[in-house]
């Protein structure tokens, strides 16, 4: 582990569904700071992480107003139409200075409540893993399958089901190859583990906390504010 570096990639292009607001969700105010600043802050505060690559939309006019513009550990790269394109663009840029065996943590820009303890657990438990893995939590609710009319078609056994979170942690070379293969095949995978699975690999599931939420609806902002406040009080 001494010669292996850890990098972070944050895809922030194509995630700007606006929740009725005038700005993309990753730039909405959350307890006095844009959502993306909370997201980046935990990686920038971690001395194990060598740098953070942020994949931005070509016409993103909000990024220049954030605190981390010009930060020595933050690099910008142009994103793509879908999340997988943005991540691959960042990995291609990172490959110019990183080793294929280096670890990469890919984390959603609109997921600002990652706990340091969960990041620690992910890095420690996957340090010697041959594949890598993701943070997640086991499904605890009853799961229903729906038909085309929105009626229940089946009750699904939840025993082996997990909610997939980020960060997702894989080595640069294999992840880059897996994403390129998926995109070439027309499979626009929605997370990095899916690309690795398509390559015949089985990523590990590392249990984290359910407060690692993704901002997708208006009501998620006050909930994220509550979680951040509770995390700060527990430190």
């Amino acid at each position: 582990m001494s010669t292996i570096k850890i990098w972070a990639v944050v895809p922030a292009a194509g995630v700007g569904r606006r929740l009725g607001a005038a700005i993309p969700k990753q730039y909405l105010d959350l307890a006095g700071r844009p959502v993306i600043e909370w997201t980046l802050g935990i990686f920038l505060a971690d001395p194990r992480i060598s740098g953070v690559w942020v994949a931005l939309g070509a016409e993103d006019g909000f990024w220049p107003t954030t605190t981390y513009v010009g930060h020595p550990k933050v690099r910008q790269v142009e994103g793509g139409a879908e999340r997988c394109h943005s991540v691959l663009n960042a990995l291609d840029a990172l490959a110019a200075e990183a080793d294929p065996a280096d670890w990469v943590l890919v984390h959603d820009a609109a997921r600002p409540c990652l706990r340091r303890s969960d990041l620690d657990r992910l890095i420690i438990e996957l340090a010697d893993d041959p594949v890598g893995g993701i943070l997640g939590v086991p499904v605890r609710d009853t799961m229903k399958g729906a038909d085309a009319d929105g009626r229940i078609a089946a009750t699904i056994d939840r025993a082996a089901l997990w909610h997939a979170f980020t960060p997702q942690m894989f080595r640069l070379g294999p992840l880059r190859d897996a994403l390129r293969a998926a995109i070439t095949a027309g499979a626009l995978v929605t997370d990095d583990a899916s690309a690795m699975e398509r390559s015949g690999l089985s990523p590990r599931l590392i249990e984290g906390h359910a407060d690692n939420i993704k901002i997708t609806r208006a009501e998620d902002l006050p909930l994220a504010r509550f979680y951040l406040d509770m995390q700060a009080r527990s430190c």
Side-chain angles (χ1 to χ4, degrees):
M1 193 69 176
S2 59
T3 60
I4 299 297
K5 293 182 178 180
I6 304 173
W7 307 84
V9 165
V10 177
V15 297
R17 296 179 180 85
R18 297 176 181 262
L19 304 180
I23 62 174
K25 61 186 180 183
Q26 67 269 31
Y27 297 111
L28 292 173
D29 180 81
L30 174 59
R33 301 171 64 191
V35 168
I36 197 170
E37 289 191 7
W38 291 101
T39 303
L40 296 177
I42 190 167
F43 298 110
L44 294 172
D46 193 319
R48 296 169 295 187
I49 296 174
S50 298
V52 181
W53 291 77
V54 183
L56 300 168
E59 299 179 358
D60 188 331
F62 298 95
W63 170 253
T65 68
T66 61
T67 300
Y68 294 126
V69 173
H71 190 287
K73 290 179 69 174
V74 175
R75 309 287 185 83
Q76 298 171 224
V77 64
E78 186 170 324
E82 302 291 340
R83 181 188 189 278
C84 55
H85 299 115
S86 294
V87 175
L88 183 57
N89 286 356
L91 296 180
D92 284 344
L94 175 58
E97 64 177 272
D99 190 275
D102 285 356
W103 286 108
V104 178
L105 297 158
V106 184
H107 189 59
D108 298 325
R111 204 179 283 274
C113 300
L114 172 65
R115 296 189 185 205
R116 285 183 171 81
S117 60
D118 284 355
L119 180 59
D120 287 342
R121 179 181 298 176
L122 186 73
I123 291 174
I124 291 168
E125 295 202 18
L126 295 180
D128 298 315
D129 195 273
V131 177
I134 72 172
L135 276 181
V137 295
V139 169
R140 295 181 173 87
D141 299 314
T142 299
M143 303 299 291
K144 302 291 185 180
D147 62 19
D149 297 322
R151 294 185 176 277
I152 294 173
T155 299
I156 301 170
D157 184 5
R158 68 187 178 192
L161 295 180
W162 283 59
H163 295 284
F165 289 172
T166 66
Q168 303 196 350
M169 179 173 165
F170 300 103
R171 295 190 185 273
L172 170 60
L175 178 57
R176 189 182 177 207
D177 291 344
L179 280 171
R180 192 179 305 284
I183 292 170
T184 300
L188 301 181
V189 291
T190 57
D191 77 343
D192 314 289
S194 296
M196 301 296 280
E197 292 164 45
R198 289 188 79 262
S199 298
L201 300 171
S202 297
R204 280 186 63 192
L205 290 159
I206 305 298
E207 186 169 357
H209 288 81
D211 56 6
N212 183 13
I213 63 170
K214 187 175 182 179
I215 305 296
T216 57
R217 300 173 296 181
E219 58 265 34
D220 292 334
L221 277 171
L223 182 59
R225 189 178 302 113
F226 170 78
Y227 284 149
L228 289 171
D229 183 51
M230 291 300 99
Q231 290 175 17
R233 293 185 184 186
S234 65
C235 290

